[in-house]
Amino acid sequence: MDFEILLKQIDFIKEIDKVKYIQRKTKLFNSNRNENDAEHSWHLAMMALILAEHANEPIDVLKVVKMVLIHDIVEIDAGDTFIYDMQKNHVNTDQERLAANRIFGLLPQEQSKEFIAVWEEFEAGLTPEAKFARTMDRLEPLLQNTSNNGGTWKEFDVDYSKVFEKKKIINEGSTMIWKYAEELINESVEKGILRKD
Amino acid sequence: MDFEILLKQIDFIKEIDKVKYIQRKTKLFNSNRNENDAEHSWHLAMMALILAEHANEPIDVLKVVKMVLIHDIVEIDAGDTFIYDMQKNHVNTDQERLAANRIFGLLPQEQSKEFIAVWEEFEAGLTPEAKFARTMDRLEPLLQNTSNNGGTWKEFDVDYSKVFEKKKIINEGSTMIWKYAEELINESVEKGILRKD
């Protein structure tokens, strides 16, 4: 029985290898190479471990790490949605929920339920853990774009107001990190790598 | 003062982006593309979350996840050592310790000490968490090589006895997973993708 459980888990572990092929719009730091979802998720998990002390509220760090490690697994079926894509609203699409059910559904039943719940909690963004996980998810591309002379902001002509609108949610997870992020955004305008009309 | 702490942490977060450029010998599942250390570390962290119940002893899952997320960061300076490289012994080389001190040394002092200690604990391989983390680290390439028609075993002419010798340490972290791994190794010999003279 335990062995059957293990075999299901191994099937899931093999399936999620596909996360390594999902390209994001953002590039690695000081680079022209696109980041993939596995690299992105690893980086967010490291950031969560390192920056946890700056959370506005007490957080269960293991849960935050789980959230950021799994948050893009649904993209195996649903694909990556660019955050500044105004045609496609990235709020828990039906396609993503179907993907969550199929992919986490490979796991043994209890574990499947647990991971779907963690993913739903991240997407809802209401708990202290989900807020902090989203803070990480918004901070990484900000660091990347500022290191890449504007990165996706320049490439897709995204201006200050759109960036500010998407990034201000960082404040919900950490006022301290938002203070830093806001400075970075303002500096980017001053440097001419982010357009403000 | 808190802001200075944050700035040091951001420096570390930028530095470890380099992990995404470190190529391993092993390839992704059913693929010819080499895996990099960030992808590998993400996959091990996922495996630790999924497989924790099979550990031989009670484990602190967050600590195991920390170990696997950071275990290859020293390779930014020290480079990847192939496990079957008989010229170069991969046991805590001086070069790796220097790398740990430099890279984790970018963090605020307390955090730097903590991460170096976690890395040392993983390398020593003596605690239940370190044993389970190593079980993950040995299992992933086994799954990859069996999915890749022999993978690095064929490419570098590694035979059954060498594989068995390196993989049996899986048993220290999980007897259940070792039972599965041993079956995989034996099946590989039967299929002719692992040489046994």
Side-chain angles (χ1 to χ4, degrees):
Chain A
M1 186 57 195
D2 272 6
F3 211 69
E4 270 173 49
I5 285 176
L6 177 59
L7 292 179
K8 284 187 179 184
Q9 292 165 329
I10 297 283
D11 281 346
F12 175 80
I13 287 165
K14 288 179 180 172
E15 177 66 17
I16 63 172
D17 196 63
K18 295 174 184 166
V19 169
K20 299 169 191 170
Y21 293 97
I22 306 168
Q23 290 225 333
R24 291 167 51 77
K25 289 282 185 290
T26 38
K27 309 283 202 293
L28 302 186
F29 288 70
N30 307 298
S31 167
N32 262 320
R33 204 259 276 167
N34 285 74
E35 187 177 44
N36 69 54
D37 275 349
E39 296 168 328
H40 166 64
S41 302
W42 169 79
H43 218 151
L44 298 197
M46 284 301 307
M47 289 166 64
L49 293 179
I50 299 294
L51 300 175
E53 68 185 286
H54 305 297
N56 287 341
E57 299 166 89
I59 49 170
D60 172 348
V61 178
L62 179 57
K63 192 189 255 189
V64 175
V65 168
K66 273 188 196 179
M67 283 178 176
V68 296
L69 286 174
I70 70 164
H71 79 296
D72 278 340
I73 285 178
V74 294
E75 296 187 357
I76 289 174
D77 290 353
D80 178 46
T81 303
F82 186 45
I83 194 168
Y84 298 108
D85 185 342
M86 301 300 152
Q87 308 303 313
K88 210 170 160 185
N89 193 0
H90 177 79
V91 185
N92 238 339
T93 63
D94 292 345
Q95 210 187 358
E96 285 193 342
R97 190 163 279 115
L98 275 174
N101 289 337
R102 182 191 74 76
I103 303 164
F104 294 119
L106 296 172
L107 288 167
Q109 199 175 17
E110 282 313 300
Q111 210 163 34
S112 164
K113 276 190 209 162
E114 183 209 333
F115 277 88
I116 290 173
V118 170
W119 174 75
E120 292 276 12
E121 186 178 329
F122 170 79
E123 288 289 321
L126 299 174
T127 61
E129 285 79 12
K131 286 176 186 169
F132 195 72
R134 283 170 165 244
T135 292
M136 300 300 99
D137 197 27
R138 291 290 197 279
L139 178 62
E140 195 222 21
L142 178 59
L143 297 175
Q144 287 167 327
N145 279 343
T146 50
S147 84
N148 282 328
N149 199 32
T152 55
W153 301 332
K154 280 204 165 169
E155 193 178 350
F156 300 96
D157 194 30
V158 181
D159 71 0
Y160 169 87
S161 64
K162 287 197 192 104
V163 171
F164 190 89
E165 188 61 29
K166 289 292 181 189
K167 297 299 180 190
K168 70 181 183 196
I169 201 176
I170 288 175
N171 197 27
E172 290 187 24
S174 169
T175 304
M176 170 71 83
I177 295 174
W178 174 236
K179 194 177 141 194
Y180 171 76
E182 216 182 346
E183 273 185 27
L184 263 191
I185 295 171
N186 290 331
E187 272 175 30
S188 300
V189 172
E190 284 163 31
K191 283 184 188 164
I193 62 173
L194 177 62
R195 183 170 59 83
K196 186 180 187 178
D197 296 328
Chain B
M1 187 55 198
D2 272 4
F3 212 69
E4 270 173 51
I5 285 176
L6 177 58
L7 292 180
K8 284 187 179 185
Q9 291 165 329
I10 297 283
D11 281 344
F12 175 80
I13 287 164
K14 289 181 179 171
E15 176 67 16
I16 63 172
D17 196 64
K18 294 175 184 167
V19 168
K20 298 169 192 170
Y21 293 97
I22 306 170
Q23 291 224 336
R24 290 166 52 77
K25 289 283 186 290
T26 38
K27 309 284 202 294
L28 301 186
F29 289 69
N30 308 299
S31 166
N32 262 321
R33 205 258 276 167
N34 285 73
E35 186 177 44
N36 68 53
D37 275 349
E39 297 169 326
H40 166 63
S41 302
W42 169 78
H43 217 150
L44 298 197
M46 284 301 306
M47 290 166 64
L49 293 179
I50 300 294
L51 301 175
E53 66 184 289
H54 305 297
N56 287 341
E57 299 166 88
I59 49 170
D60 172 348
V61 177
L62 180 58
K63 193 191 256 188
V64 175
V65 168
K66 273 188 197 178
M67 282 179 177
V68 296
L69 287 174
I70 71 164
H71 79 295
D72 278 341
I73 286 178
V74 293
E75 296 187 356
I76 290 175
D77 290 353
D80 178 46
T81 303
F82 186 43
I83 195 169
Y84 298 109
D85 186 340
M86 300 300 153
Q87 308 302 314
K88 210 171 158 186
N89 192 2
H90 176 78
V91 184
N92 239 338
T93 63
D94 291 345
Q95 209 187 358
E96 286 193 344
R97 189 162 282 115
L98 275 173
N101 289 337
R102 182 190 74 77
I103 303 164
F104 295 118
L106 296 170
L107 289 167
Q109 198 174 19
E110 283 312 300
Q111 210 163 32
S112 164
K113 276 190 210 163
E114 184 208 333
F115 277 87
I116 291 172
V118 170
W119 174 74
E120 292 276 12
E121 187 178 329
F122 170 79
E123 288 288 323
L126 299 173
T127 61
E129 285 78 14
K131 286 177 187 170
F132 195 73
R134 282 170 164 242
T135 291
M136 301 299 99
D137 197 27
R138 291 292 196 279
L139 178 62
E140 195 221 21
L142 177 59
L143 296 175
Q144 287 166 326
N145 279 344
T146 50
S147 84
N148 283 328
N149 198 33
T152 54
W153 301 332
K154 279 203 167 171
E155 194 178 347
F156 300 97
D157 194 30
V158 182
D159 70 0
Y160 169 86
S161 63
K162 286 196 192 106
V163 171
F164 189 90
E165 188 59 31
K166 288 292 181 190
K167 297 300 180 189
K168 70 181 185 196
I169 201 175
I170 288 175
N171 197 26
E172 290 186 23
S174 168
T175 303
M176 171 71 83
I177 296 173
W178 174 236
K179 194 178 141 192
Y180 170 75
E182 216 183 344
E183 272 186 26
L184 262 192
I185 295 171
N186 289 331
E187 272 174 32
S188 300
V189 172
E190 284 163 30
K191 282 183 187 163
I193 62 172
L194 178 61
R195 182 169 59 83
K196 187 179 186 178
D197 297 326

